[in-house]
Amino acid sequence: TPTRTGVRRRTSPPAAAMPPPLQAHRMLLSHRRASPIPRRRFTAVSSLSSAPAKTLAPGPPASSILSIRESLLSGERTAADITSEYLSRLRRTEPSLRSFIHVAAAAAEREAEELDRRIASGGRDAVGPLAGVLVGVKDNLCTASMPSTGGSRILDGFQPAYDATAVRRLREAGAIVVGKTNLDEFGMGSTTEGSGFQVTTNPWDDSRVPGGSSGGSASAVSARQCVVSLGSDTGGSVRQPASFCGVVGLKPTYGRVSRFGLMAYASSLDVVGCFGSSVFDTATILSVIAGHDKMDSTSSSHDVPDYRSDLASLSLLESKPLNNVRIGIIQETLGEGVDAGVISSIRSAASHLEQLGSVVEEVSMPSFSLGLPAYYILASSEASSNLSRYDGIRYGQQVSADDLNEMYGDSRANGLGHEVKMRILMGTYALSAGYYDAYYKRAQQ
């Protein structure tokens, strides 16, 4: 990640800083010390027909979802016990982490008790694939049973009348929503310091940030305050905090997951994603929340496969499972402004991939540097339109005033944070008549 002013970082968190609840063994393949990437030619690449067959073991042993399901159905543990364990950990760690804006502890306990009754009366067929799995939901996804603020004071106390499609599908699969996680206001930020309510810290070192804007969701899974969580990704808001917090973050292809119930930031870029402690768990969540939704015209109508079916157990892999896979390292991502420790980590990872059989070469993308300015213009322009609804009348806290324009202005001035105001101003400027072609149109091109 490029160096960002004001964000303290360490290449690898010290072992002493890691709180006991953090999970380990996320990697299926061990890290090895490696030298910098040797430059080499791309070699011809064949199909992956030499890869092992897709016959699966029951799943990676690190899967928290599988572990919970097996313990419930075997009678080894109850949903109430599992929920109590996670809530106890959440209460211990939350004062320092501040991952959640709202915790629905009583509701989670009631749902767990009801689940235990269904298991006792109906057995395996009475529960869904996510039975007993505690989920944290980013607070820009609507939930009918608890407040949804988008991390903004202007929506303080707002409670929607419906669940977002992704949330509804999780509930239908048996998941228990434990609460709403913190975020940069309306998803605009990369540290979670831009929340209108509180600043979330990194579970590995509370003097550092968890990333953002889905920092609360990443932090909650990393500290095992919940099993998995939902986030949203517009320009890295799932992937970056997952990296900062040492968990698996998945940003699906646009349209794979319905955006219905997601508070719009930049509608052509927003994606609902998820966090887990293993690849298997995120694949499980995606299999549940993906699919066409009549409430979202941009959602894909393609069939939803079981994404876990492509995940092979370690015991089925050969010594070089990436044999003949061709991987490019983009030169422009390793240049000026990138922290030396980050460059070292990327090169070490690439060298490790080579040891597993892949062919690695540095490649150049001369237009790469234009991605960030194009993103900021497009995202800010869409945000200036989407956030116009928070005016104190349609949505948001209303400030008393003598006339309509003053009421609009004061409601937005008091309710919206600095970063949101700045992006609205940037977007409105880029869309203005005199500058539309120079900025917005060029960014689209």
Side-chain angles (χ1 to χ4, degrees), residues 19-23 77 82-97 100 134 220-227:
L22 292 175
Q23 68 278 1
R77 301 191 68 187
I82 294 169
T83 301
S84 176
E85 176 191 322
Y86 276 92
L87 288 176
S88 176
R89 188 182 296 114
L90 189 155
R91 293 186 183 103
R92 290 198 313 269
T93 57
E94 186 59 14
S96 61
L97 291 182
F100 284 86
L134 271 69
V221 172
S222 184
R224 293 184 64 202
Q225 294 178 319
C226 55
V227 182

Side-chain angles (χ1 to χ4, degrees), residues 383-395:
S384 73
S385 174
N386 281 326
L387 271 62
S388 65
R389 71 194 68 181
Y390 304 113
D391 55 13
I393 293 181
R394 288 172 290 181
Y395 293 95

